[in-house]
Amino acid sequence: MFKKKLLKNKKKGLITTEGVVTECLPNGICRVKIKDIDIISTCYLSGNMVKNHINLIIDDVVIVEYSIYNSKKCRVIFRK
């Protein structure tokens, strides 16, 4: 029940799914393997994660959102 509530997205044109961090790059950028479509995309941290100094490490499970047009770039909005 918590999972369904968390994955709802109010913005049009964005898809919200889970992923796993595979590589950490400088400046809050990381590579995430998205579970639904099985591709590795380049992601950046959302504003709240930067503001609250939340860091990611390899094998973290994260919630990402990406556009319906381009799934190669996405934004990390939550770390589990």
Side-chain angles (χ1 to χ4, degrees):
M1 183 171 173
F2 178 71
K3 186 176 181 182
K4 287 183 182 178
K5 187 175 181 183
L6 182 65
L7 294 181
K8 277 189 176 178
N9 196 349
K10 295 179 182 177
K11 296 180 183 179
K12 288 187 177 180
L14 293 178
I15 300 170
T16 306
T17 58
E18 287 187 351
V20 178
V21 176
T22 58
E23 183 181 357
C24 294
L25 301 171
N27 295 329
I29 298 174
C30 58
R31 294 189 198 248
V32 174
K33 182 176 182 183
I34 300 174
K35 289 184 181 178
D36 290 347
I37 53 179
D38 289 332
I39 64 165
I40 295 176
S41 62
T42 305
C43 299
Y44 63 93
L45 297 178
S46 68
N48 278 341
M49 293 185 74
V50 172
K51 185 174 76 173
N52 295 320
H53 304 290
I54 297 174
N55 296 322
L56 297 178
I57 57 174
I58 296 174
D59 293 333
D60 273 348
V61 177
V62 293
I63 305 292
V64 297
E65 63 182 13
Y66 59 93
S67 172
I68 57 175
Y69 304 109
N70 185 10
S71 61
K72 292 290 184 179
K73 293 190 178 193
C74 57
R75 179 172 62 164
V76 178
I77 57 172
F78 189 76
R79 182 187 73 176
K80 287 190 173 183

